[in-house]
Each structure stands twice: as C-alpha cells, then as structure tokens.
Amino acid sequence: MAENYPNTNMPGSNMDPYNYQMNFEHLDFFDFTDWKKDDLELIVSGYPESQNYDAFNFGGSSSYHEDLNGIAASGDGRSGRENKETTKKVAFKTRSEIEILDDGFKWRKYGKKMVKNSPNPRNYYKCSVEECPVKKRVERDKDDPRYVVTTYEGIHNHHSPSQH
DNA sequence: CGCTTTTGACCCGCGC
DNA sequence: GCGCGGGTCAAAAGCG
C-alpha cells in the first residue's frame, strides 16, 4: 500500500458510518452484455466531479450490510476449493480518476491481469480479514477510462477494520 | 518488523 | 485433446 490516496478528500476519521447514502440514482446500463449474467447486479453510480467519496462510506453501516446481503445472498455455484457458498457478484460503476476507492475495508491485492478486450488491466483484491471471503475486482472501462467498474463478490462477516 | 504489492506461473473451465 | 481466457497462488521485494 503506497500512495493510494493521491490528493482526494479521503474520509479518514471524518466519515459518518450512519450517514452513508449511495447515489444509485444514475442507473445507466451500458453494453455490458458480458456482465449481464443471471446473477450479476450492475449498479452504475455517477458522482459529481467536485465531490468527495463520502458516498462510498460503507464503514460498518448496517444498512449496507442488509443491502449487500439481500443481493449478495443469492446462489452462485462456485464449485471451487473451500466452500461452495452462495456468492453474488455486484458491479459498481463509478466515475473516478483512481481505481483504488476506499470503501471502509482493507483490501489486499492478490493479482493483476490484462483482459484481452481492454487495454487496461484488471486488479483482484481480497479482504484482509481472514474470515472474510469477500473478493473485489477492479477494472477500468474500455470505452470510458474515467469510469471504474468495481465488482464485489461475497459478503463481509465483519465490520470495518477500525469499527468496533 | 509486519504486511502489502508485484509479477510470473499455474490452474481450471469451456470452446473448437 | 488442445488452446484460449480468465482467475488465483506464491515467492520476493518494497514501504510504512
């Protein structure tokens, strides 16, 4: 973790965990045919250019958990290694210059890949908490480099690292 | 000193 | 059966 926060107003201790509110008003669906799977929720949120990342304050908000649980508690046959639990993918499309948006959790990057259909790499993150099976996938938009698509996978079974 | 990042290799599923 | 695309691991380095 180096300079993840260039010069943005990163909510460090000024964030309001209970005052979070996602701007899901701008629901613009693009040509994400590949994304429009049966179990993929694509959420596009457009932020005002001169706004900070307050809207991304997931920090331990119970509402966030409920919401995420509702959509993330569906079925996804991930017959992989550990547990084929129900995992849901949620894609957030956000307008931002940086792809590392602080959502209140600590992420550890475990991989980077170059997708063939895009000149931009795709980053893979995982929650630093042991018991947290949540994965995160960050990718830039192919046509709109100003947009970042963050795909969350799984449910947090713990609150913010600093919360509680 | 601990933890994250980094990068290449490996693995897996699916299509041809 | 092999190849491609995508996803994950793992060893070493970097940085706070």
Side-chain angles (χ1 to χ4, degrees):
Chain A
M1 216 192 294
E3 48 283 313
N4 285 345
Y5 321 104
N7 54 356
T8 332
N9 316 339
M10 269 307 168
S13 50
N14 254 1
M15 52 158 64
D16 287 319
Y18 299 99
N19 197 24
Y20 104 104
Q21 62 173 37
M22 292 293 259
N23 295 337
F24 288 154
E25 308 171 52
H26 311 63
L27 288 185
D28 292 318
F29 286 85
F30 296 81
D31 298 272
F32 272 95
T33 319
D34 303 285
W35 291 66
K36 301 285 281 301
K37 289 292 189 64
D38 298 291
D39 50 359
L40 218 195
E41 302 280 338
L42 177 60
I43 305 177
V44 185
S45 58
Y47 290 103
E49 304 176 33
S50 47
Q51 282 290 345
N52 49 20
Y53 297 92
D54 270 335
F56 253 87
N57 284 346
F58 291 103
S61 179
S62 48
S63 307
Y64 144 73
H65 274 275
E66 284 186 49
D67 266 3
L68 259 290
N69 269 293
I71 49 185
S74 271
D76 181 280
R78 195 72 216 278
S79 53
R81 31 192 85 248
E82 297 180 0
N83 46 349
K84 47 202 174 110
E85 215 161 292
T86 61
T87 307
K88 182 95 183 203
K89 287 174 265 194
V90 189
F92 293 88
K93 192 167 185 178
T94 315
R95 186 164 194 265
S96 169
E97 303 179 16
I98 52 180
E99 62 275 329
I100 314 293
L101 296 174
D102 189 15
D103 46 16
F105 295 98
K106 207 171 184 194
W107 302 93
R108 176 179 80 255
K109 183 193 288 184
Y110 67 90
K112 180 160 85 182
K113 199 59 185 255
M114 280 279 244
V115 273
K116 233 168 193 219
N117 231 25
S118 281
N120 310 301
R122 175 182 291 172
N123 301 280
Y124 301 90
Y125 298 89
K126 189 196 176 296
C127 196
S128 302
V129 185
E130 282 186 62
E131 293 296 302
C132 207
V134 178
K135 283 180 299 188
K136 178 181 173 186
R137 183 179 313 141
V138 177
E139 179 189 2
R140 302 195 99 92
D141 193 293
K142 172 181 178 297
D143 298 305
D144 296 291
R146 328 167 183 78
Y147 287 88
V148 221
V149 181
T150 308
T151 310
Y152 289 90
E153 209 169 313
I155 312 166
H156 290 279
N157 53 62
H158 64 94
H159 293 264
S160 299
S162 303
Q163 236 237 6
H164 199 266

